[in-house]
Amino acid sequence: MAMTQAAQVKGLSDRILAEVSKVIVGKTQELKLIEACLFAGGHVLLEGVPGVAKTSMAKALASSLGLQFDRIQFTPDLLPSDIIGTYIFDQKVSDFKIRRGPIFGNIILADEINRASPKTQSALLEAMQERQVTIEGTTMPLPAPFIVLATQNPIEFEGTYPLPEAQIDRFLMRVEIGYPTREETMLMLKNLKGIMETKVQPIADAKSLQGLIPSAIWSVNVDDSIRGYITDIVEASRSHAAVRLGGSPRAATSLQTGAAGIALVEGRTYVVPDDVKRVAPYVLAHRIVLKQEAILDGVTQSTIVSQVVQSTRVP
């Protein structure tokens, strides 16, 4: 990849961070991970308790990119047609026409995705994987770029449905949005008026982004030693004693594209082992299924990923 394109991606990343930081205090690491997914053409599952700015972060990101932003509030009575659209009868022309759903945007906020039924959640599968939707036999492409930012509350289970493995595997990363530090809370309270009144300004548009997403990611150099490192990590996740299902081939490809996305955000045209280490907890943890006895012993997916990465030889 030409250095000019790498510099272009780095400059865009920095401007996005600067613009979003006007309304989001802290969260630089989380925002960089979301940017990496954006440049990699992947989707993000944002997990955190209510009030930690998951929705505000998604809206600010969309505004900074000048992209069409659609929010879908997932509820138990939400239907697949409410997401992708349906045919309606037009009396003026005495014929049926397609009414497109909110999925036909660039950045889709699937808010509280685990509140919808599995049938409705599955309506996102084709859109997230194929970048298209099928409405009563008619297949239509989705606009580019296209990224789903889904949120879920990890501590509330009443009225929720666990995400199916096929659904959760479509997310390139799962990023936990935690509480701010004391200093960040103080800064937020000090600048509250400005944060509430500031409007995020677009610093890009869909046309300019189409030249970077996802073409730039495929030009990042990934050495065979890095590919071997990724393969070893994924295979180690499968053989861990506490794991029932380890990383799939999609986990391996996601680990490579996620690491390449972070390299781009940091202004590099090549992947280093630290990039793989940095994204591994966010790429692998939600794809690992633990054995029941491990769950009862208090073992977590994040713990497994940490052990696997630490035990894998670095090239």
Side-chain angles (χ1 to χ4, degrees):
M1 178 173 58
M3 182 55 69
T4 53
Q5 190 178 21
Q8 185 180 359
V9 174
K10 178 66 166 66
L12 178 60
S13 171
D14 290 344
R15 293 197 302 275
I16 293 172
L17 280 175
E19 198 63 34
V20 174
S21 295
K22 294 178 181 179
V23 295
I24 302 294
V25 177
K27 309 302 179 189
T28 301
Q29 165 76 355
E30 292 85 347
L31 285 170
K32 284 189 174 183
L33 290 167
I34 295 172
E35 285 184 337
C37 291
L38 175 70
F39 292 123
H43 311 290
V44 189
L45 179 62
L46 301 176
E47 197 169 87
V49 298
V52 290
K54 301 185 298 295
T55 302
S56 298
M57 193 179 297
K59 292 176 66 175
L61 179 67
S63 298
S64 70
L65 294 172
L67 299 175
Q68 180 180 339
F69 172 79
D70 286 332
R71 175 178 177 172
I72 306 173
Q73 186 66 50
F74 280 66
T75 56
D77 60 348
L78 190 73
L79 299 175
S81 58
D82 295 327
I83 297 175
I84 63 175
T86 187
Y87 276 93
I88 60 172
F89 186 75
D90 189 344
Q91 294 183 343
K92 293 181 180 179
V93 296
S94 298
D95 199 2
F96 287 91
K97 68 176 183 180
I98 291 178
R99 183 188 64 188
R100 298 189 175 193
I103 197 68
F104 287 90
N106 296 116
I107 294 185
I108 309 300
L109 174 61
D111 208 7
E112 296 187 284
I113 187 173
N114 55 333
R115 287 198 175 278
S117 67
K119 180 180 179 180
T120 301
Q121 290 176 13
S122 67
L124 285 176
L125 285 175
E126 182 184 15
M128 293 173 68
Q129 185 64 28
E130 307 295 336
R131 268 40 178 202
Q132 66 182 29
V133 295
T134 302
I135 303 176
E136 297 185 24
T138 302
T139 300
M140 293 173 289
L142 294 171
F146 175 77
I147 179 173
V148 174
L149 299 177
T151 70
Q152 69 173 2
N153 180 350
I155 64 169
E156 192 170 359
F157 299 105
E158 186 176 350
T160 65
Y161 301 84
L163 295 182
E165 292 302 321
Q167 172 77 27
I168 203 168
D169 196 38
R170 293 318 196 268
F171 290 101
L172 178 60
M173 295 187 194
R174 181 183 68 183
V175 180
E176 295 185 10
I177 309 298
Y179 288 119
T181 65
R182 186 179 190 278
E183 291 74 17
E184 290 170 347
T185 302
M186 291 286 289
L187 183 61
M188 177 184 66
L189 295 175
K190 183 178 181 180
N191 300 321
L192 189 57
K193 182 176 183 293
I195 292 172
M196 298 293 289
E197 295 180 353
T198 296
K199 290 186 177 180
V200 176
Q201 299 300 316
I203 47 88
D205 55 36
K207 185 176 180 180
S208 62
L209 289 171
Q210 284 175 358
L212 295 174
I213 303 171
S215 62
I217 205 76
W218 305 124
S219 300
V220 176
N221 182 52
V222 182
D223 190 78
D224 281 347
S225 63
I226 299 295
R227 293 191 180 97
Y229 183 46
I230 290 172
T231 302
D232 290 343
I233 289 175
V234 173
E235 289 189 343
S237 75
R238 299 169 186 164
S239 60
H240 195 286
V243 173
R244 181 161 61 90
L245 290 175
S248 65
R250 184 183 283 124
T253 60
S254 297
L255 198 50
Q256 177 170 309
T257 54
I262 280 293
L264 279 177
V265 169
E266 299 296 348
R268 282 183 281 105
T269 59
Y270 54 90
V271 173
V272 297
D274 280 348
D275 295 327
V276 179
K277 288 183 180 181
R278 184 172 172 182
V279 302
Y282 308 99
V283 172
L284 289 181
H286 63 288
R287 291 181 162 93
I288 290 176
V289 179
L290 300 175
K291 293 179 179 178
Q292 190 61 37
E293 53 267 31
I295 297 174
L296 295 175
D297 289 339
V299 177
T300 65
Q301 297 161 313
S302 298
T303 301
I304 299 299
V305 174
S306 178
Q307 291 175 356
V308 164
V309 171
Q310 290 178 8
S311 63
T312 303
R313 188 181 66 84
V314 180

